[in-house]
mmCIF file of all heavy atoms in Angstrom:
data_model
loop_
_atom_site.group_PDB
_atom_site.id
_atom_site.type_symbol
_atom_site.label_atom_id
_atom_site.label_comp_id
_atom_site.label_asym_id
_atom_site.label_seq_id
_atom_site.Cartn_x
_atom_site.Cartn_y
_atom_site.Cartn_z
ATOM 1 N N PRO A 39 -2.150 -2.304 3.250
ATOM 2 C CA PRO A 39 -2.426 -0.879 3.023
ATOM 3 C C PRO A 39 -2.295 -0.486 1.555
ATOM 4 O O PRO A 39 -2.995 0.424 1.090
ATOM 5 C CB PRO A 39 -1.384 -0.160 3.894
ATOM 6 C CG PRO A 39 -0.351 -1.186 4.216
ATOM 7 C CD PRO A 39 -1.043 -2.500 4.216
ATOM 8 N N VAL A 177 -1.824 8.668 4.454
ATOM 9 C CA VAL A 177 -1.783 7.212 4.606
ATOM 10 C C VAL A 177 -1.402 6.887 6.047
ATOM 11 O O VAL A 177 -0.826 7.724 6.752
ATOM 12 C CB VAL A 177 -0.772 6.560 3.629
ATOM 13 C CG1 VAL A 177 -1.181 6.799 2.179
ATOM 14 C CG2 VAL A 177 0.646 7.087 3.873
ATOM 15 N N MET A 178 -1.737 5.693 6.470
ATOM 16 C CA MET A 178 -1.423 5.271 7.832
ATOM 17 C C MET A 178 -0.030 4.649 7.883
ATOM 18 O O MET A 178 0.296 3.760 7.090
ATOM 19 C CB MET A 178 -2.446 4.257 8.328
ATOM 20 C CG MET A 178 -3.837 4.824 8.554
ATOM 21 S SD MET A 178 -3.875 6.146 9.791
ATOM 22 C CE MET A 178 -3.308 5.251 11.252
ATOM 23 N N VAL A 179 0.783 5.125 8.804
ATOM 24 C CA VAL A 179 2.080 4.522 9.099
ATOM 25 C C VAL A 179 2.102 4.268 10.600
ATOM 26 O O VAL A 179 2.203 5.204 11.380
ATOM 27 C CB VAL A 179 3.255 5.422 8.678
ATOM 28 C CG1 VAL A 179 4.576 4.809 9.113
ATOM 29 C CG2 VAL A 179 3.246 5.648 7.174
ATOM 30 N N GLY A 180 1.961 3.011 10.976
ATOM 31 C CA GLY A 180 1.799 2.697 12.382
ATOM 32 C C GLY A 180 0.473 3.251 12.868
ATOM 33 O O GLY A 180 -0.582 2.949 12.322
ATOM 34 N N SER A 181 0.530 4.125 13.859
ATOM 35 C CA SER A 181 -0.699 4.687 14.426
ATOM 36 C C SER A 181 -0.925 6.133 14.006
ATOM 37 O O SER A 181 -1.815 6.789 14.538
ATOM 38 C CB SER A 181 -0.632 4.623 15.961
ATOM 39 O OG SER A 181 0.497 5.349 16.438
ATOM 40 N N GLN A 182 -0.127 6.625 13.066
ATOM 41 C CA GLN A 182 -0.283 8.019 12.672
ATOM 42 C C GLN A 182 -0.519 8.149 11.163
ATOM 43 O O GLN A 182 -0.116 7.303 10.379
ATOM 44 C CB GLN A 182 0.942 8.845 13.086
ATOM 45 C CG GLN A 182 2.237 8.464 12.379
ATOM 46 C CD GLN A 182 3.410 9.301 12.820
ATOM 47 O OE1 GLN A 182 4.453 8.785 13.196
ATOM 48 N NE2 GLN A 182 3.251 10.612 12.773
ATOM 49 N N ARG A 183 -1.195 9.236 10.801
ATOM 50 C CA ARG A 183 -1.452 9.537 9.410
ATOM 51 C C ARG A 183 -0.418 10.538 8.914
ATOM 52 O O ARG A 183 -0.151 11.546 9.576
ATOM 53 C CB ARG A 183 -2.858 10.117 9.232
ATOM 54 C CG ARG A 183 -3.959 9.135 9.595
ATOM 55 C CD ARG A 183 -5.340 9.742 9.421
ATOM 56 N NE ARG A 183 -5.621 10.029 8.016
ATOM 57 C CZ ARG A 183 -6.060 9.119 7.144
ATOM 58 N NH1 ARG A 183 -6.243 7.865 7.534
ATOM 59 N NH2 ARG A 183 -6.310 9.451 5.903
ATOM 60 N N VAL A 184 0.174 10.241 7.762
ATOM 61 C CA VAL A 184 1.216 11.104 7.207
ATOM 62 C C VAL A 184 0.945 11.276 5.712
ATOM 63 O O VAL A 184 0.239 10.470 5.096
ATOM 64 C CB VAL A 184 2.621 10.495 7.417
ATOM 65 C CG1 VAL A 184 2.927 10.313 8.897
ATOM 66 C CG2 VAL A 184 2.761 9.164 6.670
ATOM 67 N N GLN A 188 5.612 10.440 2.619
ATOM 68 C CA GLN A 188 6.396 10.097 3.797
ATOM 69 C C GLN A 188 6.019 8.713 4.323
ATOM 70 O O GLN A 188 6.391 8.348 5.426
ATOM 71 C CB GLN A 188 6.182 11.138 4.907
ATOM 72 C CG GLN A 188 6.770 12.494 4.589
ATOM 73 C CD GLN A 188 6.610 13.478 5.732
ATOM 74 O OE1 GLN A 188 5.883 13.222 6.686
ATOM 75 N NE2 GLN A 188 7.279 14.610 5.638
ATOM 76 N N GLY A 189 5.315 7.945 3.512
ATOM 77 C CA GLY A 189 4.817 6.656 3.970
ATOM 78 C C GLY A 189 5.834 5.531 3.979
ATOM 79 O O GLY A 189 5.547 4.454 4.470
ATOM 80 N N TYR A 193 5.116 2.724 -0.307
ATOM 81 C CA TYR A 193 4.362 3.674 -1.105
ATOM 82 C C TYR A 193 5.169 4.244 -2.272
ATOM 83 O O TYR A 193 4.642 5.014 -3.073
ATOM 84 C CB TYR A 193 3.848 4.812 -0.222
ATOM 85 C CG TYR A 193 2.880 4.326 0.833
ATOM 86 C CD1 TYR A 193 3.304 4.054 2.128
ATOM 87 C CD2 TYR A 193 1.543 4.092 0.521
ATOM 88 C CE1 TYR A 193 2.414 3.587 3.096
ATOM 89 C CE2 TYR A 193 0.654 3.629 1.470
ATOM 90 C CZ TYR A 193 1.098 3.374 2.757
ATOM 91 O OH TYR A 193 0.219 2.899 3.707
ATOM 92 N N PHE A 219 10.470 8.410 6.610
ATOM 93 C CA PHE A 219 10.358 7.031 7.060
ATOM 94 C C PHE A 219 11.262 6.091 6.275
ATOM 95 O O PHE A 219 11.740 5.112 6.804
ATOM 96 C CB PHE A 219 8.906 6.555 6.948
ATOM 97 C CG PHE A 219 8.013 7.227 7.940
ATOM 98 C CD1 PHE A 219 7.392 8.419 7.641
ATOM 99 C CD2 PHE A 219 7.802 6.682 9.191
ATOM 100 C CE1 PHE A 219 6.574 9.051 8.554
ATOM 101 C CE2 PHE A 219 6.990 7.301 10.114
ATOM 102 C CZ PHE A 219 6.372 8.493 9.794
#
Side-chain angles (χ1 to χ4, degrees):
V177 297
M178 292 300 298
V179 175
S181 59
Q182 65 180 128
R183 296 180 66 82
V184 300
Q188 291 183 349
Y193 297 97
F219 291 89

